[in-house]
Amino acid sequence: MTGTDDAESGTAGDADVETAGDSDIATANTMRERAGESRLKLWLLLSASRLQVTAVLALGVFVSFVVFVTLTPSPLYPQLQTGDTIETMFSTMIGAIITGTTLVVTIGQLVLSQENGPLGDQRDRMENAMDFRDYTEELIGSPSPADPSEFLRQLVFVAELRAKTLRDGVADTDDDRLRAEVDEFTDSLVGNAELVIDQLEGATFGGFDVLSAALNFNYGWKIFQVERIANEFEDSLSDESLSDLEDLKTSLSLFGPAREHVKTLYFEWELVTLSQMILYAAVPALVVAGVMLTVVDAGTFPGRTLGVANVTWAIGAAFTVTLVPFLLFAAYVIRIVTVAKRTLAIEPLILRDSQR
C-alpha cells in the first residue's frame, strides 16, 4: 500500500519507482532531485506561496498587455476614439467574473459536501479513523499524535528504526551481495527518513510544508525494494531477517494511507481557501471593471509615461485587476493537480516514462 511521490518525479507508488535490476537501489532524498526538473519550475508549481504565484502571473499579464498594445501596428488610442473597445472589454469581464466566481465557489462546496452525511456515515468514518489510529499506536508504541506533521513524522521514524534493525540483522550473513544490497538500501532509507523527519519537525498544517515533506519520502520505491530483496534472497535470509523485512514493509505501507489522508485534508483546506480568496478578489475586480465601463474613455488619461500612452497603462492595470480571481484560481489549482497527478497510484506502479 503505497502512493505516488512528488511533483515532477513520476508516480510509481511514490513517483520515483524504477525497474529493478536496471537501476541503483538508492534514490535521491528529495523530490526535486528525483524529479530532475528546474528549481524555478518546482517553485512555481509547488513550493511558492500561492499569493506569490498570483502576483507573478499578474505582473506577467500586465507587462505583456502593455508591451503588445504599445508595439502593435494599430495604435490603441485611435481605436478608443472610433470604437467601443473599453465597453466591450470590461462588460465581458464583469460577466466572466460573476460566472467564474460562482462556479468556483460551487465546485468547492460540492467537494466539501462529501464531508456531510447522516449520523451513521459519520459514525463509520469515526470508527475507521480510530481503528487506524489504534493500529498506528501499536506500531509506534505510544498514543498516535494529533498533529498531522508529528503523526507522519512518527511513522517515518519507525520505518527508520526498522531499517536499521534489518541492516544489523544481515550484518553477519555470508552472502556478500545480500549484505551489500541491504546496506545500500537501508542507508538510502535512513538518509531519506532523517531528512523528512527534520522537515516535518515544527511544520504546521495549512501550508504546503507538511505535504511537501511527506512527498519527499518515496515509500513506494522502498516497499518495492523490500519485496524484491525478500524474494531474491529468500534462501539466504534467516527467519528473523525475513520478519524484519515484513515489519519494515508494514511500517512503510502504513505511511501510504496516512499521507493520502493528510493530502485529502490539505486539498479540502486549499479549496476552502481558494473560494475565500476568489470572493475577496472578485469584489474589487467588479468595481474596477464597472468604473472602466462607465467613466473611462480615450480622453480620461491624456499624455504619455515612459514612452507609453497613459491610457494603455490604465487599461492594462484595470484588465490585470479584473483577471486576479482567475489568476488565483490558476495558482491554487496548478498545485493541487500537480500533486494529484503525481500521487495517483497507492502502490508501486510506474506511471511516468521518466522513471522507467
Side-chain angles (χ1 to χ4, degrees), residues 86-87 90 286-297 301 311 314-319 322:
I86 292 179
E87 290 80 358
F90 287 97
L286 286 171
V287 171
V288 169
V291 170
M292 295 296 294
L293 184 62
T294 56
V295 303
V296 176
D297 57 25
F301 300 99
V311 68
I315 295 177
F319 178 65
T322 59

Side-chain angles (χ1 to χ4, degrees), residues 114-129:
Q114 63 183 339
E115 299 299 316
N116 303 320
L119 179 61
D121 292 345
Q122 299 298 333
R123 181 180 179 183
D124 290 340
R125 290 181 59 200
M126 186 66 175
E127 288 180 349
N128 291 334

Side-chain angles (χ1 to χ4, degrees), residues 50 100-115 205-208 211 262-280 325 328-338 340:
R50 296 301 91 185
T101 300
T102 303
L103 180 61
V104 169
V105 174
T106 301
I107 291 174
Q109 296 304 312
L110 287 175
V111 172
L112 293 177
S113 66
Q114 63 183 339
E115 299 299 316
F205 184 83
F208 188 61
L211 186 56
V262 171
K263 183 188 77 174
T264 300
L265 293 175
Y266 171 76
F267 283 176
E268 293 175 351
W269 181 286
E270 285 288 85
L271 287 171
V272 171
T273 303
L274 173 61
S275 297
Q276 291 175 322
M277 297 302 295
I278 287 181
L279 286 172
Y280 297 154
L328 280 167
F329 174 79
Y332 275 85
V333 170
I334 196 173
R335 180 155 69 185
I336 292 175
V337 299
T338 297

